Amino acid sequence: MSIASQVEIIKSRIAGAAREAGRNPEDITLIGVTKTVSADRAREVMAAGVMDLGENRVQAFLDKYETLGNAPRWHLIGHLQTNKVKYIVGKVALIHSVDTLHVAEEISKKAVAEGITQQILMQFNISGEVSKSGATADEAKHLLESVSALHGLSVQGLMTMAPLGATETETRRLFADLRTLAESIDNEGFPNVSMTQLSMGMSGDFESAIREGATLVRIGSALFSHLES
Ligand SMILES: *Cc1c(COP(=O)(O)O)cnc(C)c1O
């Protein structure tokens, strides 16, 4: 099966989940996660109309960026180390995985030096019944308050990943919790913080995520796993 037909299948599943939830399918952006495929495959997915691409590692992103430049909108979705921040600020449209004040400060420093505003999401693993290790809502708000004081960045929303092995019910609950957290952060009215994007949902759970309000779904294997590589 071609990438183009795989894209069509995913898009119709996105549209189906959106309609079931009474949402407009156009409010959901499909991010093609190209971490397991070559730049040529990434070009094919772009030719099929997916203009948002995600990479989870800085070096792999830089390799593809060298070939594809700014033709796609780039999303950095994987864990980001402070010492790698300088390589990606201004090159990626959105950094999804900011999870500490330290990383946010580093992005701020680099963005100010370049005279740009970097758009970011804050990543939370919410603590609750499913994951005991994540942040509480109060911790999340404190972090957002500190980040909101930094120059050169703009927080567009939140990102989460369901833990491996979570059931569908648990996963859906986590996604609902992230949406609730975003609403309560929005009510704080922090400067430079708007909760317009919820990045949640991957190949195995994007329909649940859309039912719970996802605006960005990050999909890799469902697009590419049928290929030889
Ligand atoms: C790999 C990855 C994805 C895509 O996962 P699939 O299950 O292949 O769709 C999404 N988000 C992050 C952070 C990833 O690292």
Side-chain angles (χ1 to χ4, degrees), residues 31 33 35-36 55-56 77-79 97 123 159-161 199 201-204 217-223:
I31 299 173
V33 176
K35 67 188 183 192
T36 61
E55 284 286 330
N56 68 330
I77 60 176
H79 178 71
S97 42
Q123 178 176 2
M159 184 270 221
T160 201
M161 248 168 115
S199 171
M202 316 189 346
S203 293
V217 291
R218 311 179 308 268
I219 297 182
S221 53
L223 283 174

Side-chain angles (χ1 to χ4, degrees), residues 16-149:
R19 277 191 219 96
E20 262 177 54
R23 302 183 56 202
N24 183 348
E26 286 176 13
D27 293 341
I28 297 142
T29 299
L30 165 59
I31 299 173
V33 176
T34 49
K35 67 188 183 192
T36 61
V37 299
S38 65
D40 282 344
R41 291 297 193 199
R43 269 202 198 92
E44 286 179 54
V45 90
M46 288 162 65
V50 178
M51 299 312 289
D52 288 78
L53 299 184
E55 284 286 330
N56 68 330
R57 302 180 68 129
V58 169
Q59 189 54 53
F61 157 70
L62 290 171
D63 290 346
K64 281 202 184 68
Y65 186 80
E66 208 168 286
T67 317
L68 302 173
N70 284 318
R73 271 173 52 89
W74 287 108
H75 298 257
L76 200 286
I77 60 176
H79 178 71
L80 183 57
Q81 287 170 293
T82 311
N83 63 352
K84 300 275 176 71
V85 162
K86 57 180 177 287
Y87 301 116
I88 64 160
V89 167
K91 294 196 176 89
V92 298
L94 188 63
I95 302 172
H96 291 227
S97 42
V98 182
D99 56 358
T100 63
L101 180 58
H102 195 50
V103 169
E105 283 169 343
E106 206 59 32
I107 294 170
S108 166
K109 227 186 282 172
K110 177 74 174 161
V112 168
E114 291 194 7
I116 60 160
T117 298
Q118 176 68 56
Q119 308 217 326
I120 67 168
L121 305 178
M122 299 297 297
Q123 178 176 2
F124 291 113
N125 299 316
I126 304 178
S127 151
E129 275 162 36
V130 185
S131 147
K132 306 261 186 248
S133 64
T136 65
D138 278 347
E139 286 164 352
K141 276 189 203 167
H142 276 121
L143 179 54
L144 261 294
E145 187 171 20
S146 306
V147 170
S148 76

